[in-house]
Structures are given as C-alpha cells and as structure tokens.
Amino acid sequence: MAGLELLSDEGYRVDGRRAGELRKVRARMGVFAQADGSAYIEQGNTKALAVVYGPHEMRGSRSKALHDRALVNCQYSMATFSTGERKRRPHGDRKSSEMTLHLKQTFEAAILTQLYPRSQIDIYVQILQADGGNYCACVNAATLATIDAGIPMRDYVCASSAGFIEDTPLADLNYVEEAAGGPQVALALLPKSDQIALLEMNSRLHEDHLEQVMEAASKACKDVYAVLDQVVRDHVHEVTTLLGE
Amino acid sequence: MQRTEKVLQLRGLQGRSVRIVREHYLRPDVPCRSALCQAACPRDGKLLSDDVTHYVVPDWKIVQDYLEILEFSELKGIIFMQTACQAVQHQRGRRQYNKLRNLVKDARHDCILFANEFQQYCYLPRERGESMEKWQTRSIYNAAVWYYNHCLGQLPVVMVTEDEDAIREYGGETEGVFVISFKNYLDNFWPDLKAVHELCDSILQSRRERECESQENNGKEYPEHLPMEVLEAGIKSGRYIQGVLNVNKHRAQMEAFVRLQGASGKETDLQSDILIHGTKARNRAIHGDVVAVELLLQHEWKGRTASLCENDTEEKAPGDTSSEPMPTGRVVGIIQKNWRDYVVTFPSKEESQSQGKNAQKILVTPWDYRIPKIRISTQQAEALQDCRVIVRIDSWESTSVYPNGHFVRVLGRIGDLEGETAVILVENSISVAPFSEAQMCEMPSSTSENPWKVNPEEELKRIDLRNTHLVFSIDPEGCEDVDDALSIRTLANGNLELGVHIADVTHFVAVNSYTDIEARARATTYYLADRRYDMLPSILSADLCSLLSRVERYAVSVMWELDKNSYEILRVWYNRTIIQSSYKLVYEVAQGLLDGDLSVVDDILELKELDERTRQQKLEELVWAIGKLTDIARRVRAKRDRCGALELEGVEIRVQLDDKKNIHDLIPKQPLEVHETVAECMILANHWVAKMIWENFPHHTLLRQHPPPRQEFFSELRECASAKGFSIDTRSNKALADSLSKADDPLDPTVNKLLRSMATQAMSNALYFSTGSCPEEEFHHYGLALDKYTHFTSPIRRYADIVVHRLLMAATLKDTKVDVTVNLFSNKDLEELCRHINNRNRVRWMTVMSSDVFEQHLVQWALILIGSLWVLQ
C-alpha cells in the first residue's frame, strides 16, 4: 500500500476526515461490577477496556510500598484477536512493557497519590481491537475507570495523537496513517491546567513544525476532554436516578 | 458526520489474505465546486464555470484510458469523481495519477474533483459479491445524479462510459442525466474538435491491436518483469540494484548503462555504472527509465566497446574489440517508466511495403536514436511519409520485439524550419504555447501612446535612485531583456558605494497568479539561434522589467559601502528602488571605454544629442565608473581565487543573424575583461543575497550548490596533462586551480585552454536545492569557491531568481511584523520546485550538447551554446 494518498489535495484523509477531526468516540463507565472501577472506550475502531482496583493495601512484596504515597501499578495488554493477524502473546513483550511504563508515568502524574500512603492502585488496560492510537485509547479508558473507582485525580487525563503528513498536522491518527511511518506525537494532557502528563514522539520531525503539531495534539486532547466529561456526567446522572428510585 | 465501515480483503505481508476493517466517515458538507450551486457550499478554490452547456462525468474506465483527451482544454465542465481518481491511482500508478492531479489543480482547465465517496448521499457501500468495476460505475452514476439534483437541474449532466451494460441500465433512469459512450459523446458534443477525434481514433486503434495481440500471443521475446513487491524486497536486500538506464548514443542497439541511484550504490561496492549488453538483457526498458538490475556472474561480464562502429551491425563476434570487463547485468523490472512524447519519422514507401503482411502496422523510427523503433497502426502512413510526427508509447508486451504506440499529431515537414524547431522543442519537452489571455490580462498595459508610468503610491514605498545614482547596464549586442544594471559613486566620507540593480519582476508577477504558474512550469527562457521562448510575457521581459536606458523602472538593489582604499565591504543593504538607467552599453563599447579608446563613443546613443561640453563631462563620469568597477571586480576576483575559484574554459559561440533573421555566421565569442567585471559584480550580489536569505529563512531557502566533481572523471585530464609533462592535482578546487594555471606551455597557449576545457567536462553540474533538505556542509559552491551562492540577478530569464527575490523581500520585511512567510514555499514544495527547475535546466543543457552535433550536420537551427559557463554559474 505504498502509494496510498494519506491527505488528498482537497484536504481529506483516507477515512474521509479532515486534518483536525477526531474519530468517533464512544465510551461507557462501570461495565463490570466486581472491579472498583471500569470503563470501555471506542475511538473509531480502536477499542479498549480498563479496570481499576484500589486503593488497597500492598499485595505481593511489601517492600515495594512507598511510605509517602500510593504505588500505581499498571498493566497493558493486547487481546490476541486485536490485530489483523493473530498475536501470539497478549502481554509481556517489549512493546507492551514500554506501554505499561508510559501508563504508569501518566497516572502517577494525575492521581493524587499522596492521599494514600503505603497502599496500591492497580490499573489494567486491554486493547480489544487495535486501529491506531492505542496508547491514547488506553489513557482515556483508564481515566474513566479511575473516575468510576472514585480515586481523586488532579484533572482528567486526556490523550490524543497527532502526526505530520504533507506539511499538515493531522489529529488522532488511525492505523493506516501510523503505518506510513511519518512523525507521530502522543500527548497526554491535563486539560484544565494545560499541563502535560506525558509526551512521546516517534520518527524525525523538524523543530519548526513541532509547535503546529503540538497545537493540533492539544486541541485534539481538549476535544476528547469534552466527550469524556459528557460521558462522566451522563453516567453520574444515570446512577443517581437509579439510586433515587 | 456519519460513520460507516469498509471491509477489505488485502494480501498481508506473508502473502496471506487478511481481513481489514477501515473506517469511512461521511459528511454532508463536501463542496460541489460549481459556480451554479445555490446551496451554501463553500466557494473557495477552483470553481467549475457556469458558461458551459453541460457537465460531463467520465467513468473510471474513461479516465484511465482517455486521460490524454480529457487534457484538452477545449473540453470544459469536467467533473472527476473521487471513485474514478482512485481507480486510476490503483491501476495506473503514481505517474498517471499525478498527471490527473496536476490537471485538476491547473487553473486553466475547467475541471474539478468531487469527493463523492465522502459525501453522505453519494456514497454507496459495495454490496456483497458485487465486482469492483460494477460498484465503481454505480457509485459514479449515483454521484452524477446527486450532482444534477444539487445544482437544481440547471445543467444536464452527461456521464460517459465504455460499459454497454451501464448505458443500458442507467441510460433512461433519470431525466437530465445522460449516460452515453465516449465516442458518441465526442461526436455529438464536440464535432468540431478535429485533433480530439484523431487522438481518440488512434488510441482506440492501438487498444484494439493490443487486444488482438494478447489473444494470439505466442513465443515470448522477453522475460516477464518481476512484480513490484519482489523488486522492492530485492532492492532492499541488495540482490537487485536500482538505477537510471542510459542508452549509449553510439551503440544504441547493444549498449546501455545503468547509473546507480541513491543508497543502493553505497552498499554494494560498485564503483562504475553497470553495463547492460544487448536488447534482450535490456528487457524493454527505454532510455531514462528507472530500472532494477540483477548483476550477472563475474565470468559473464563484458567490456564496453572501445572502437566506434556502425549502429546496426549487430552480433559481431563478442569481445573482440572490447576493453576490460565491467559489471554487467540484466534488467529484471522497471520501477518507473519515463515515457514521454517521441518525435518519429515514417519509413520510406518501399520499406513499409517490405514490412509485409499487415500494412496497417508500421514501424516508425524515433528522432532520438536511443529510443527503439515504435510500432504504430495508422492508415495515414503514406500521407505522413515526409513529416515529423509525435507518437506516444502505450505498452510493450513481452511477446513483442518493439513497443506499441499511437499517433498523436503532426509537427511539420522534414527539413522545414518550423517543423524542425518544433522537433527540438518536443524532444526536450519544452512547452512553447503562447501566453494565454488570462495571463495577458494580468499584465499592466504599456503602449506607445500611453506608456506605463511609475505609480505614486509605489514611489513612496521605494527608495528613489533616479537623480542620485549613475546607473548603467552592460549587455551583449541586441539584448532585449536587460535584467541587471550597475552603479558606483563616491560617498561623502570618501568611501565607495557599489550597487547592483536587478529588475523587480516580482512586483509584476504575483504569487500563484497565472503568469507565475506558467513561469514556474517553463522555469527558464530558452534561447534558440534565431528565436527565443520567453519565460515571461514579452511585455514584461522586453519592456516593463527590462532596465532600458532613460526610462524609469522598478528595481531591487543591493548596495555595498566599500572602503575607499582596501575595497573591504563595510556595510550592505537590500531594498526595492526606482532607478533610471543612463546608458545601455554593449560589452565591446564598455571595453573600448575601459581601454581609453574613444572611437567607440559614437556608438553610445545616449550621448549623441548632447552638446560637446556636457558630453565630455558625462563621458568622463562614465569612464571613471567603469574603471572603478573593473578595479573592484579584480580585487574581489583575486580574493575568490585565493580560496580556490576555478577559471575554466569553454568555447562560447555566438550566432550572427542577418537582416532577415537568417543565420549568417557562427563566431566564437571574444572574452573581454568587461565580461568578467559584470560577472564578478553579479556573483558578488548573488553571494550576498544568498547569505541574507539563508540567515533569515534557514530551512526553506533556495540556494545553488556545486558539488565537488567525482575524482574518477579527472583521470582523462590527468593522463593528458602528464603526456605534456604537467601534473594536475585534483584533490581540492584550490589545488586544481593552481595546477591548472601552472600547466601552461608558453609555446602553445591552446594546451592550457584544452586542459581547462577538459576540467570543465569533468565538473558535476551545479544544482538548486532547498536548504531544509541538505546539511550545511554541502551548501558549498565548488567552482566559485563560495560557501553560499544562489541566483538572484536574472529574474526575467530564470524562475529560481524570482523565488529568491521573494525570499529576499520577505527577509527585508521581516522586522515589520507583517507575516511574510505566507507567500513563500515550504521546504517540501521548494524541494520539488528545485527538482523541476534542475530538470528544465538539464534539458536546456542537453539541447546545448546536441547543438554541437547539429552544427556538424550543417543543420541551421542550432541552439546557442549558452555556454559551458552554465555549469559554473
């Protein structure tokens, strides 16, 4: 598919979006009853499921406990059926371990961990279908799950990717655009304070363009924020009416 | 926005079939781009005009096969549907698709692209089991109907297709939307366009032939080409080598060389080019194609033929005259075809009869003998017997010895001046259509009754040099497009002020105006012996932008303040100015004044009408100025020489025309010192401008580099020099320059000239490039020994200079907080532009090379050798 035109002269991307448009986001909170918090999100064809346990006391080795804050434990995995060709190993490979670390960093920055010294918060995320922007979908799902679990956070963490193709910054890349191998930025943002929880970039991008790409990414994050906020409000509304009965 | 999904079956990496689900978003707000639209579609960009009788929607098949016809600008109101464009991209490849894209972008063609697959109501999902072709036709028809309704039925929409079923099925379905075949369409709607009909016939015929042939398909002449994936993988793994095929001019049948391209050359340790021996090994590749080559085993390697022999004597005993073996290979696949229009002649009558069985098929002989004979089918063979004709290659099946082509148009009779000129132009892909009306409308008017005047508003913005500076130009005799002028004066503090004034073309040529687009495409003015093809309309090139004497003109000036004794540059400024040139001097006259020869004074028109005293006074001023300029130029030159600038020799020939513009004589140009003075001032200006714009826009500036030559090219020079007892050191430009000046035989001055000329041949070509795409170490200009160089001084003749002018103006305005970068190219666009200009320049260079051959053949229409100096500047 070397010849595929990622951005046409008319300004359409392969899937018919324009440069700054997000894929359709659908999300649900509280999908499982056993876990403390859970959420499911679809960003286009990328589907992710997040489950949160905690805060609870340390499991496993107690020596890992931190005396002044909670330990955030993350695990990222991809379902074997999530990609075009069946995956052998759902987690534990190099790529997943890296993603796990990134998630951990992101949520250590967002959760008010100092409220729960010597305890542990577990975040498990699984990609059910991968179509680009896996990290972003995971962060967004985990945010919703954390909120569902009632763990205090500084702000929502919203993540979105942005790429740079044909001298134009594109928001929220899908798999085809990612696979083209152009520069890609993944940004996790605390939208109210405009603070960056995590920023990652692949491939080479000229310094001059970085600002534009960052702008596109943070705009996309804020758009995601609007959607997530609505989902949370709807969920709360639903739960309260149920309780009220 | 509405979301749907597309399911595709694709072949995965391991060749397995993979199911891929892709999202597909639909939207209601796809702009229809019609001027008739009553709905609130956004109206920016190119619109389809409303003065046509109908809109035409070509089917995917038509776009694929008849794009050449749709390229005629007489056909108006064409809507290309996205579905059709994608079909072209998938089935005809990048090149054809880019052609289509450029067509849609071109403001002169009345056609648009409509993104029907993203339109909510036009999109039709492909049904289960429906073939791709059927679905494409259905989608395009549906979009055509939508378009008709969207425009409220103001104009009928005609869908043209080759598909009989579609005509039957959709023909009467909707009123106002007609479905007819392409032939039918041309007959009914454009009966007068003869050229279109002829082209259509010839395409049809060649297709029919091709079909017949593929049916009767017997013994294969050539091995099949490998599929693209295999080639790509092979190139990556180093099994195949990618390169451009160059056919040997003198042994076109037997020898071709593949020049290595890019990274593949570095990995394999091949030093030289790869020899492709014989037409079998060449496997249907044509001169200029990018091919993948497989190396043969070492014992099969052959040497290149050293002796000159006739082209057609094939199959001599192998290896009898050849030199030592060199890497030899065979073509396994063609990565990019580089077919263009070819000029051919028909064989004489006897020959064509001897070709026998099928009189309709004729083998025609291309003008460029590196191209194989082309088989075309036409009934007009006899009528075209002594004409030069353009032919396009359609295909080259592995079963056929020769490629198949079709006839496009007649250029003229053989031997006819106009016809032969056209041949040169077509062979070099030079477009010389006169400027269109839309372009001329953009031009300011200037007639003899109502001459163009300086605009008072503009006057305030510019610095007025009309009364303060003595400005004059020095050019060859008969020059109409004067784009540079010089000035020099003494400042109050005793220092000197040197000025180079260049015509302000960008004032008249706005970014992305029609003129600008045309100039970009032409990239340069082509000089032929008896005519020239201008890059800009003549009102600009010969009048408003030409710095003629005693008229007011806009200019862009670079001024230096020089120290009165050492001529060190103390200060430099760049600005838009108004100047009035006092003299338009000819080189010979200027040289005369410099030498103190006053007999030339009578040739200066501007001094004729003055009385004796003022005349004397003015003359003194002028002589002082020229003398001072020469003095400065010598110093600057000496400084560059110390850094290793090369002085190379090339014979420059001037063609003298008689009164009737026939070619009278060819005379070698006499080198004068004034030439060097002017050239040095221009180089100085170019160098300073390059520095200025690079400092301001480090990532997207157009500069000119001259890479150091490849050492192996010097071997011949070294050998020749050692035969005469000189040694040539080629390690750096400085060493080369020094050793060249040492290699001077006092008894025979031609030896030195000859050696210099050989050194020139060894040089690589200077190139334009965008600074964002190249590391800073490579900016260097080898020949001029300057760290940065660009072209600034001839905006009338070269498009690169126009770009540089815009950059310079943006740079000078940078402090004023205006957003200056809007009109500038980004790095990527600039890179593409540079590639284009370099290509056009190479073409010009080629025409120059072929003109040498021309003279020997006593052909009159030689292009002027614009000079081997081209390599250097």
Side-chain angles (χ1 to χ4, degrees):
Chain A
M1 301 300 291
L4 206 64
E5 191 180 37
L6 293 174
L7 186 70
S8 70
D9 292 333
E10 283 71 37
Y12 296 108
R13 292 155 67 172
V14 267
D15 52 7
R17 285 182 290 159
R18 289 188 189 277
E21 289 173 345
L22 297 183
R23 290 175 289 174
K24 193 173 177 69
V25 182
R26 286 192 289 194
R28 263 175 63 201
M29 289 168 74
V31 284
F32 300 125
Q34 283 97 331
D36 291 314
S38 59
Y40 168 76
I41 197 166
E42 278 181 19
Q43 287 188 277
N45 276 337
T46 303
K47 293 165 190 172
L49 194 59
V51 183
V52 172
Y53 294 95
H56 53 75
E57 60 187 45
M58 294 298 295
R59 302 223 172 99
S61 68
R62 296 214 158 235
S63 56
K64 274 193 198 155
L66 303 166
H67 68 92
D68 58 342
R69 58 197 164 95
L71 177 85
V72 179
N73 174 37
C74 288
Q75 193 179 64
Y76 168 88
S77 61
M78 285 175 86
T80 49
F81 49 82
S82 61
T83 47
E85 285 180 43
R86 191 178 158 81
K87 266 180 90 77
R88 294 266 167 74
R89 232 172 129 182
H91 58 87
D93 59 335
R94 202 172 271 263
K95 232 167 149 185
S96 304
S97 321
E98 193 193 347
M99 200 67 100
T100 303
L101 269 173
H102 282 163
L103 285 174
K104 189 174 163 175
Q105 277 177 17
T106 314
F107 282 92
E108 271 174 353
I111 296 175
L112 296 170
T113 47
Q114 69 276 18
L115 296 180
Y116 307 104
R118 282 184 288 277
S119 44
Q120 177 180 356
I121 297 167
D122 296 318
I123 301 175
Y124 299 105
V125 203
Q126 185 164 40
I127 291 286
L128 300 180
Q129 190 175 338
D131 188 35
N134 294 350
Y135 167 76
C136 309
C138 288
V139 170
N140 296 332
T143 301
L144 291 179
T146 318
I147 292 170
D148 188 40
I151 298 172
M153 297 211 292
R154 289 194 171 80
D155 191 359
Y156 287 70
V157 203
C158 299
S160 179
S161 60
F164 193 72
I165 287 166
E166 309 261 345
D167 281 350
T168 331
L170 303 184
D172 195 14
L173 303 187
N174 66 18
Y175 178 72
V176 185
E177 286 159 344
E178 268 184 7
Q184 189 196 354
V185 168
L187 172 70
L189 194 72
L190 305 178
K192 276 190 188 143
S193 52
D194 256 338
Q195 280 174 318
I196 292 174
L198 186 117
L199 177 67
E200 191 206 3
M201 188 169 92
N202 297 330
S203 165
R204 278 154 57 112
L205 177 71
H206 198 284
E207 187 192 345
D208 285 3
H209 305 308
L210 184 65
E211 200 179 328
Q212 296 177 48
V213 178
M214 285 293 291
E215 220 159 84
S218 58
K219 163 114 196 343
C221 288
K222 286 180 183 157
D223 293 346
V224 170
Y225 166 69
V227 180
L228 296 191
D229 194 46
Q230 193 56 46
V231 170
V232 173
R233 278 173 204 284
D234 288 352
H235 178 68
V236 172
H237 184 71
E238 198 181 324
V239 171
T240 45
T241 43
L242 281 176
L243 284 178
E245 274 176 6
Chain B
M1 246 186 348
Q2 201 181 327
R3 175 173 170 273
T4 57
E5 279 177 355
K6 258 200 308 202
V7 180
L8 301 173
Q9 292 283 344
L10 288 180
R11 245 196 353 218
L13 284 176
Q14 276 94 40
R16 266 182 289 169
S17 161
V18 181
R19 190 180 131 100
I20 287 183
V21 183
R22 268 200 213 144
E23 284 181 286
H24 191 87
Y25 288 94
L26 301 177
R27 53 176 74 237
D29 61 336
V30 176
C32 68
R33 294 176 185 277
S34 163
L36 281 176
C37 175
Q38 311 277 323
C41 285
R43 281 174 165 258
D44 47 343
K46 196 174 150 188
L47 287 182
L48 213 52
S49 69
D50 48 6
D51 58 351
V52 291
T53 55
H54 63 280
Y55 287 145
V56 54
V57 179
D59 179 17
W60 58 276
K61 187 94 179 116
I62 304 283
V63 180
Q64 276 180 18
D65 292 344
Y66 297 99
L67 189 61
E68 290 168 62
I69 296 179
L70 298 173
E71 272 172 357
F72 275 87
S73 55
E74 284 89 352
L75 298 187
K76 287 190 172 178
I78 306 175
I79 305 168
F80 290 108
M81 291 297 170
Q82 186 194 8
T83 315
C85 296
Q86 266 166 9
V88 170
Q89 193 191 353
H90 278 286
Q91 282 162 30
R92 286 293 143 96
R94 203 80 186 145
R95 210 178 139 79
Q96 187 90 349
Y97 179 64
N98 278 343
K99 232 167 130 187
L100 178 62
R101 259 173 65 178
N102 289 336
L103 184 69
V104 172
K105 266 192 244 165
D106 194 335
R108 285 165 293 176
H109 288 278
D110 192 26
C111 59
I112 52 140
L113 193 151
F114 177 62
N116 66 319
E117 289 190 28
F118 298 141
Q119 219 292 339
Q120 201 169 332
Y121 304 105
C122 287
Y123 175 69
L124 294 175
R126 192 168 149 195
E127 273 160 23
R128 260 233 146 119
E130 187 178 25
S131 75
M132 192 71 181
E133 287 78 22
K134 268 263 164 331
W135 171 73
Q136 282 168 342
T137 314
R138 195 160 63 96
S139 291
I140 290 171
Y141 176 73
N142 188 41
V145 172
W146 179 86
Y147 208 93
Y148 174 73
N149 292 331
H150 180 78
C151 294
L152 304 174
Q154 293 173 68
L155 280 187
V157 174
V158 181
M159 172 169 160
V160 286
T161 178
E162 289 289 86
D163 187 351
E164 302 284 329
D165 295 341
I167 296 176
R168 230 175 299 122
E169 189 178 341
Y170 303 122
E173 200 176 284
T174 322
E175 203 175 324
V177 182
F178 304 97
V179 183
I180 54 175
S181 77
F182 194 59
K183 188 93 187 89
N184 212 335
Y185 170 72
L186 288 183
D187 288 343
N188 289 330
F189 288 87
W190 307 101
D192 311 329
L193 287 178
K194 199 160 159 265
V196 171
H197 284 279
E198 272 174 17
L199 189 55
C200 180
D201 285 341
S202 97
I203 292 177
L204 263 180
Q205 201 158 15
S206 78
R207 264 191 38 216
R208 221 173 293 138
E209 303 279 334
R210 211 157 51 213
E211 275 161 24
C212 297
E213 226 156 81
S214 55
Q215 279 163 13
E216 60 195 41
N217 193 355
N218 29 33
K220 282 195 177 158
E221 295 287 339
Y222 298 101
E224 289 291 344
H225 288 154
L226 297 175
M228 204 59 197
E229 299 95 80
V230 180
L231 291 182
E232 265 169 19
I235 288 168
K236 254 185 212 149
S237 67
R239 190 164 161 222
Y240 305 134
I241 298 158
Q242 180 179 346
V244 181
L245 186 86
N246 278 309
V247 176
N248 185 344
K249 235 185 216 175
H250 306 289
R251 290 175 53 78
Q253 298 280 324
M254 295 307 292
E255 276 182 9
F257 297 93
V258 172
R259 170 134 318 154
L260 304 181
Q261 230 184 12
S264 60
K266 277 171 212 153
E267 286 155 20
T268 56
D269 35 43
L270 285 170
Q271 286 303 312
S272 64
D273 298 342
I274 299 170
L275 173 74
I276 308 289
H277 189 81
T279 44
K280 268 258 158 44
R282 206 184 297 162
N283 197 358
R284 293 174 278 155
I286 291 177
H287 177 77
D289 286 352
V290 180
V291 294
V293 179
E294 185 180 37
L295 280 183
L296 297 175
L297 296 174
Q298 199 133 15
H299 64 85
E300 292 177 76
W301 285 9
K302 294 194 171 79
R304 59 185 304 171
T305 318
S307 68
L308 286 173
C309 59
E310 279 299 304
N311 245 333
D312 294 325
T313 54
E314 270 184 69
E315 304 298 328
K316 282 175 113 188
D320 56 347
T321 51
S322 49
S323 57
E324 60 183 283
M326 60 187 292
T328 309
R330 65 185 182 88
V331 174
V332 289
I334 299 177
I335 292 161
Q336 195 188 29
K337 287 179 182 146
N338 229 342
W339 297 349
R340 54 180 173 88
D341 293 356
Y342 297 103
V343 177
V344 300
T345 44
F346 282 86
S348 61
K349 208 179 265 172
E350 304 84 69
E351 270 182 70
S352 61
Q353 266 159 11
S354 69
Q355 277 174 11
K357 55 172 189 184
N358 198 339
Q360 282 192 350
K361 282 188 200 162
I362 290 166
L363 271 181
V364 290
T365 317
W367 183 83
D368 184 347
Y369 32 72
R370 288 171 300 192
I371 310 299
K373 287 183 180 172
I374 301 167
R375 183 166 42 184
I376 65 167
S377 43
T378 174
Q379 272 113 358
Q380 308 172 54
E382 258 169 57
L384 299 174
Q385 194 72 187
D386 45 2
C387 287
R388 298 235 188 241
V389 173
I390 298 186
V391 157
R392 232 166 260 180
I393 299 183
D394 294 318
S395 66
W396 196 345
E397 304 302 329
S398 57
T399 51
S400 141
V401 187
Y402 295 108
N404 291 317
H406 66 263
F407 158 79
V408 180
R409 77 188 151 91
V410 181
L411 282 177
R413 304 188 79 75
I414 294 174
D416 176 50
L417 179 66
E418 290 302 318
E420 296 291 342
T421 311
V423 169
I424 300 178
L425 298 175
V426 170
E427 273 296 311
N428 293 295
S429 325
I430 301 175
S431 135
V432 291
F435 291 92
S436 75
E437 228 163 82
Q439 287 156 357
M440 296 314 285
C441 284
E442 290 174 346
M443 295 293 108
S445 71
S446 170
T447 53
S448 47
E449 304 93 61
N450 186 14
W452 174 85
K453 280 203 192 74
V454 168
N455 183 343
E457 267 175 47
E458 198 61 36
E459 201 171 339
L460 294 176
K461 285 190 229 154
R462 291 168 179 267
I463 294 179
D464 194 344
L465 306 179
R466 281 175 290 190
N467 301 319
T468 52
H469 288 66
L470 171 74
V471 179
F472 55 91
S473 60
I474 307 179
D475 282 287
E477 206 172 341
C479 177
E480 283 176 339
D481 44 356
V482 184
D483 38 23
D484 48 76
L486 298 163
S487 71
I488 184 147
R489 63 167 186 169
T490 317
L491 294 172
N493 59 6
N495 287 340
L496 292 168
E497 187 185 51
L498 169 67
V500 170
H501 312 277
I502 309 297
D504 191 1
V505 175
T506 50
H507 174 77
F508 297 100
V509 182
V511 177
N512 287 332
S513 61
Y514 291 131
T515 324
D516 187 42
I517 293 169
E518 181 68 31
R520 201 180 303 161
R522 296 188 182 202
T524 170
T525 294
Y526 297 94
Y527 289 86
L528 271 72
D530 59 340
R531 66 194 78 189
R532 63 164 200 270
Y533 292 103
D534 288 325
M535 183 179 80
L536 295 169
S538 65
I539 178 139
L540 289 185
S541 63
D543 192 357
L544 297 185
C545 287
S546 184
L547 305 175
L548 305 170
S549 62
R550 285 190 286 187
V551 282
E552 295 173 341
R553 290 286 179 254
Y554 294 147
V556 177
S557 302
V558 184
M559 308 282 259
W560 296 271
E561 189 179 329
L562 307 175
D563 186 88
K564 56 191 164 231
N565 300 316
S566 64
Y567 298 147
E568 281 301 314
I569 292 168
L570 305 173
R571 211 167 60 88
V572 57
W573 57 268
Y574 313 86
N575 229 317
R576 289 198 135 137
T577 52
I578 300 181
I579 60 161
Q580 179 166 16
S581 169
S582 313
Y583 308 99
K584 179 174 178 284
L585 299 176
V586 179
Y587 278 119
E588 286 74 17
V589 173
Q591 184 66 39
L593 290 177
L594 187 62
D595 298 340
D597 172 11
L598 290 182
S599 62
V600 292
V601 174
D602 300 335
D603 291 339
I604 306 174
L605 287 174
E606 290 86 349
L607 288 177
K608 269 204 179 137
E609 297 138 23
L610 300 173
D611 63 85
E612 196 56 40
R613 254 193 59 222
T614 37
R615 181 168 159 178
Q616 206 55 44
Q617 193 189 345
K618 294 241 169 183
L619 192 63
E620 260 167 45
E621 256 178 30
L622 183 62
V623 170
W624 174 84
I626 295 177
K628 208 70 190 168
L629 270 179
T630 315
D631 212 21
I632 294 171
R634 271 183 213 145
R635 287 285 182 95
V636 178
R637 168 85 206 183
K639 199 172 142 204
R640 265 197 319 115
D641 279 343
R642 277 199 299 280
C643 301
L646 296 172
E647 191 183 334
L648 299 172
E649 196 69 36
V651 194
E652 207 168 337
I653 290 173
R654 241 186 57 210
V655 180
Q656 229 174 23
L657 302 176
D658 60 14
D659 317 332
K660 284 179 228 142
K661 291 232 167 187
N662 286 323
I663 292 161
H664 189 60
D665 199 4
L666 294 170
I667 44 171
K669 215 168 180 178
Q670 287 301 319
L672 299 174
E673 190 175 11
V674 211
H675 284 137
E676 219 165 274
T677 304
V678 175
E680 205 54 50
C681 291
M682 296 307 144
I683 292 171
L684 191 67
N686 286 337
H687 174 54
W688 278 88
V689 168
K691 275 210 274 197
M692 169 79 175
I693 55 179
W694 177 74
E695 275 160 19
N696 280 288
F697 305 106
H699 304 305
H700 50 102
T701 292
L702 187 148
L703 294 187
R704 191 163 171 83
Q705 67 183 161
H706 183 212
R710 282 157 71 170
Q711 286 297 324
E712 62 255 32
F713 292 156
F714 280 127
S715 58
E716 209 174 341
L717 170 66
R718 272 197 296 261
E719 276 167 29
C720 284
S722 61
K724 271 280 173 190
F726 302 115
S727 75
I728 301 282
D729 184 356
T730 56
R731 271 168 307 182
S732 73
N733 48 359
K734 175 96 176 91
L736 179 63
D738 289 346
S739 53
L740 272 177
S741 44
K742 264 184 230 142
D744 194 2
D745 190 341
L747 300 175
D748 190 0
T750 49
V751 171
N752 188 265
K753 276 192 177 175
L754 216 68
L755 290 178
R756 282 181 194 279
S757 167
M758 288 177 73
T760 312
Q761 294 277 321
M763 291 295 143
S764 35
N765 291 341
L767 295 169
Y768 298 106
F769 70 102
S770 166
T771 47
S773 55
C774 192
E776 203 181 327
E777 308 84 67
E778 290 174 20
F779 291 4
H780 192 78
H781 196 291
Y782 180 88
L784 295 176
L786 292 171
D787 54 347
K788 279 170 205 82
Y789 190 69
T790 191
H791 269 169
F792 163 72
T793 52
S794 300
I796 301 181
R797 293 188 279 122
R798 297 183 299 228
Y799 192 74
D801 300 51
I802 293 187
V803 176
V804 170
H805 271 239
R806 288 192 185 128
L807 282 163
L808 180 65
M809 286 303 111
T812 55
L813 290 175
K814 212 174 183 185
D815 303 330
T816 56
K817 299 246 165 63
V818 191
D819 186 16
V820 289
T821 47
V822 276
N823 287 340
L824 301 180
F825 289 107
S826 68
N827 178 37
K828 199 171 149 260
D829 293 339
L830 197 59
E831 226 183 302
E832 202 165 302
L833 179 71
C834 288
R835 207 170 302 131
H836 168 70
I837 300 180
N838 287 333
N839 269 336
R840 299 316 299 167
N841 265 329
R842 196 166 307 131
V843 161
R844 203 176 69 173
W845 183 230
M846 292 298 193
T847 53
V848 168
M849 291 290 220
S850 65
S851 79
D852 272 352
V853 184
F854 259 49
E855 280 151 32
Q856 288 156 16
H857 288 217
L858 292 174
V859 183
Q860 272 200 327
W861 320 277
L863 288 152
I864 303 182
L865 211 131
I866 311 166
S868 26
L869 282 179
W870 177 77
V871 185
L872 289 181
Q873 265 183 13

